[in-house]
Amino acid sequence: MKYQTIDSTKSEQIAMLAVCLTNEITERTGTKHFSVDVPLAIDLCKNYVSNGIYQVMAAFDADQIVGFASVCQSYSLYAEGQFGIIQEFYVMPEYRSKGIGQELLQSVVKLAKQQGWKRLELCTPPLPQYKGTVEFYKSNGFEVTGGHKMKHVIA
């Protein structure tokens, strides 16, 4: 398995995995939390990666991307400056429980250190359906900070 940041030429593969992620969340929870427009997701990924807005760490099995983490930079007073947010994190089901997610997270932590970020944050999918996901992140050094992810759609 190889772990490396991707360039924009891999945007279509990343967008398709992001669709798998959102579909899995919808199926598991029974609620449509997301509406992903695939061509738009591909274009956004190309744009974000090309412009340095997003960094995407991918897990490769030969030439196939089997998992990814997309990360962007944010700023806050409570974090005392710059920090990273893992926006999406996904490993294909057939590659789970093989250490790939753990290695992928370690690669993201290494990237965060290179960026000079003081912390990484992420939001997990809804509980209780994703209790195992929360445990995975906790076992890899993340801690629950409370609250719920909330959104307000701006039309």
Side-chain angles (χ1 to χ4, degrees):
M1 204 63 51
K2 177 175 67 170
Y3 303 88
Q4 67 183 51
T5 55
I6 59 112
D7 62 27
S8 63
T9 63
K10 305 289 188 207
S11 296
E12 185 170 351
Q13 292 175 60
I14 296 303
M16 296 312 297
L17 288 175
V19 168
C20 292
L21 168 64
T22 58
N23 287 344
E24 183 177 316
I25 293 169
T26 297
E27 289 169 14
R28 223 189 258 190
T29 63
T31 304
K32 189 169 175 90
H33 299 280
F34 311 96
S35 180
V36 179
D37 175 328
V38 175
L40 177 60
I42 293 167
D43 288 343
L44 288 172
C45 188
K46 282 181 185 174
N47 179 27
Y48 294 168
V49 170
S50 294
N51 292 314
I53 296 168
Y54 243 30
Q55 294 186 62
V56 179
M57 182 66 65
F60 288 84
D61 184 3
D63 290 335
Q64 180 186 8
I65 298 175
V66 300
F68 80 101
S70 61
V71 187
C72 67
Q73 182 169 280
S74 192
Y75 307 84
S76 76
L77 301 177
Y78 72 84
E80 300 177 328
Q82 301 172 356
F83 66 100
I85 299 174
I86 298 175
Q87 296 290 7
E88 293 104 2
F89 188 92
Y90 183 76
V91 175
M92 295 171 61
E94 61 270 29
Y95 286 87
R96 294 179 188 164
S97 300
K98 298 180 180 183
I100 294 165
Q102 183 176 17
E103 291 288 330
L104 191 54
L105 270 180
Q106 288 174 359
S107 296
V108 172
V109 169
K110 183 178 177 182
L111 174 67
K113 288 178 182 176
Q114 291 169 348
Q115 296 295 317
W117 296 338
K118 296 181 179 276
R119 65 194 290 156
L120 281 169
E121 294 184 357
L122 57 82
C123 185
T124 62
L127 293 170
Q129 297 91 337
Y130 282 89
K131 184 177 185 219
T133 301
V134 173
E135 294 306 316
F136 165 76
Y137 287 121
K138 286 168 104 178
S139 72
N140 282 283
F142 286 79
E143 60 185 56
V144 175
T145 58
H148 295 277
K149 181 175 184 174
M150 300 177 77
K151 70 177 180 180
H152 178 84
V153 177
I154 308 298

